[in-house]
Every structure is written in C-alpha cells, then in structure tokens.
Amino acid sequence: MAEFLVLGPLECRSANRAVTITGTLQRALLATLLAAEGTPVSADSLVTELWADSPPPHWENALQAHISRLRRRIDTVAGGRSARLVIEHSGYCLRTDEDTVDAKVFMHKFDYARVLGTTDPGAAADALREALSLWRGKAFGLVSQGPLCRTVAQRYETARLVALEMLFDLELRSGRHTDIIPTLSELVEAPTLNERFCEQLMIALYRSGQQARALSSYSRMRERLDAELGVEPTITLRNLHNAILNHDPALRLGADHAVLRA
C-alpha cells in the first residue's frame, strides 16, 4: 500500500519505506494531484502548476509524458490498491484511500476533535495531539508550488494553527496548564506574532503561580507588536492583562477562561 505525506517534505512510502519520486516536475505534478484531494485537475491547470507562464513549445506531449511516468511509478508501489492516477473528462485525478494521505488523516482527526471538545476536552486534546504529530514541517515542503498547491498548503497551515490554539484551550480546561508552558513559550517567541498563544501562555503561567512571568509575557508581546507592526495589543489581550492584575475569578483553575475574550 502506498502512503503519501504532504505535511512536511513531500514523500511517498510503500511498506514503510521511502519511494523516490525524482525530478522537480514529477514531484510538482504529484503534489498538485494530491492537493486536488481527488478532484480532477484540467490539463491547463496542470501546465500552470508545473511551468507557470513559460510552458515548453510542445507542452501537451511533455505533460502526457510526465503523467505516464508518474502513473507507472504509482502503479509499481501501490499495485492499484491504494492509489490510482486516472483520466477523467475534466482532467487528471489521483484516487487515494482516506487513510493513505497524511493531510486527509489530519483533517479527519481535527474535525473529530472539534466535535469531541464540547463534551470531553481531555479526549479531544489527545486526538489533537495525535493529529498534530503528523506534521513534519511546512506543507508540501520545498516542492515548487503553483497556485493550487499554495492555496491548499495555506489551508492546511491555517488548520494546523487553529488545531494548536484549540489544543491549548482544551489543555487549560483540563487543568494541564503546566504541561503546555514550554511549548507555548517557544511559540510566543516565534517570528510570527500570535496574540492567542500569548494569551494562553499568560493564563497557564498565572495558574501555575507565575504571575510575574505572565505579566512579563504581555510586556514582551506589546513591545514586539509596537516595534514590528506599530500596533497595540488587541483589546482581548489588554483585558487579560488587567484581569491578571486584578486576580479575576475567571483565571482560577477550573474556571472558564474563555469568558475573558467576550
């Protein structure tokens, strides 16, 4: 059975062994077909994905050659069971089983955790950890990406960000605030400014008896927002800062910290 990994460097595996897909265009073609998630991709769209505005003179022949080469490679590793590259009236389509593409598995677990989170935050957090463990780097890695791949990669990255935010909220609800402090501390210091992570870190620190560090985290975020973007923290983050100063009951262990966002 073939497995396709796109949540990080593009990989194809068979029997838990890496299968080499050589050539920049072959890898871009595979990434595009996987990004389409079972929807046929027209020849014109594939040309744009592979060559942008500079297709070769006889691009029809070149595209067909790449399609044939990739189909043979997939047939060799999948045996027609878990993946098939087929031609449909509207274009080319890579048919895969639901559990053979890591992005599909991630999105399924993510949706399941969202539903479960309303009734069992601990179990939902476990499901999210399992889903997030599938990530190995940036979606589609260093594959040369056309418009479709870039759009889908951004959708996956956004879902990953939401999953992380949801996970930390669930951990706070489950009383596991101490466990998430190291990871949140790293995320807050990352180049991407994320005030939601800062908010969650401040709550986790406060509940761990580290009020001074919580206030320091706010000050650091405020300084970065001013220096890098020329803006103030959101009203939500400012309200949380005041809540910590005033020991708001919503910050106590077991309370619903989400009310502070309202």
Side-chain angles (χ1 to χ4, degrees):
M1 181 176 72
E3 294 180 290
F4 301 95
L5 310 181
V6 302
L7 301 181
L10 179 66
E11 289 186 20
C12 177
R13 293 179 183 175
S14 180
N16 294 322
R17 292 188 177 183
V19 176
T20 303
I21 304 294
T22 59
T24 300
L25 292 177
Q26 283 282 287
R27 293 175 62 78
L29 176 59
L30 176 58
T32 299
L33 293 171
L34 288 169
E37 298 179 330
T39 301
V41 185
S42 69
D44 288 343
S45 295
L46 286 175
V47 169
T48 300
E49 294 289 319
L50 269 60
W51 293 290
D53 297 325
S54 303
H58 303 288
W59 64 263
E60 297 94 336
N61 294 335
L63 177 60
Q64 188 56 51
H66 282 295
I67 290 286
S68 298
R69 193 177 308 149
L70 182 60
R71 180 186 290 114
R72 289 195 298 270
R73 192 66 177 131
I74 290 174
D75 286 346
T76 298
V77 300
R81 294 187 300 275
S82 59
R84 291 179 300 115
L85 205 171
V86 300
I87 301 176
E88 298 189 353
H89 293 300
S90 54
Y92 299 88
C93 180
L94 181 59
R95 302 290 189 196
T96 58
D97 292 344
E98 288 293 321
D99 61 346
T100 58
V101 182
D102 61 352
K104 289 184 178 181
V105 176
F106 168 74
M107 295 303 293
H108 174 75
K109 291 181 180 295
F110 173 49
D111 290 338
Y112 170 72
R114 280 202 284 198
V115 175
L116 189 61
T118 60
T119 57
D120 191 339
D126 292 339
L128 282 173
R129 277 194 226 93
E130 188 176 343
L132 289 164
S133 69
L134 297 171
W135 283 80
R136 299 165 293 113
K138 291 287 185 181
F140 294 101
L142 299 177
V143 172
S144 178
Q145 298 177 15
L148 174 61
C149 276
R150 287 197 298 271
T151 298
V152 174
Q154 183 58 53
R155 177 160 61 85
Y156 291 157
E157 294 285 354
T158 299
R160 177 176 181 263
L161 180 62
V162 173
L164 279 168
E165 293 174 352
M166 187 188 307
L167 171 63
F168 297 132
D169 269 344
L170 290 168
E171 298 283 35
L172 288 171
R173 287 172 55 191
S174 301
R176 295 190 285 214
H177 44 276
T178 303
D179 297 339
I180 62 178
I181 289 176
T183 302
L184 276 171
S185 297
E186 292 182 10
L187 290 170
V188 168
E189 289 300 323
T192 303
L193 293 167
N194 188 306
E195 291 184 70
R196 182 70 173 275
F197 289 151
C198 183
E199 168 198 333
Q200 293 166 323
L201 175 61
M202 289 167 66
I203 295 170
L205 288 169
Y206 181 86
R207 289 182 176 175
S208 300
Q210 302 181 62
Q211 180 178 350
R213 277 190 65 191
L215 296 173
S216 177
S217 295
Y218 171 82
S219 298
R220 169 64 176 155
M221 177 59 70
R222 183 175 184 177
E223 291 170 0
R224 290 185 62 195
L225 287 168
D226 180 53
E228 298 177 32
L229 301 178
V231 299
E232 284 288 308
T234 61
I235 185 65
T236 298
L237 202 60
R238 296 200 302 272
N239 286 344
L240 174 61
H241 177 255
N242 291 331
I244 290 176
L245 289 174
N246 295 313
H247 302 282
D248 194 296
L251 292 169
R252 295 173 184 167
L253 181 61
D256 184 6
H257 63 279
V259 300
L260 295 171
R261 295 189 186 125

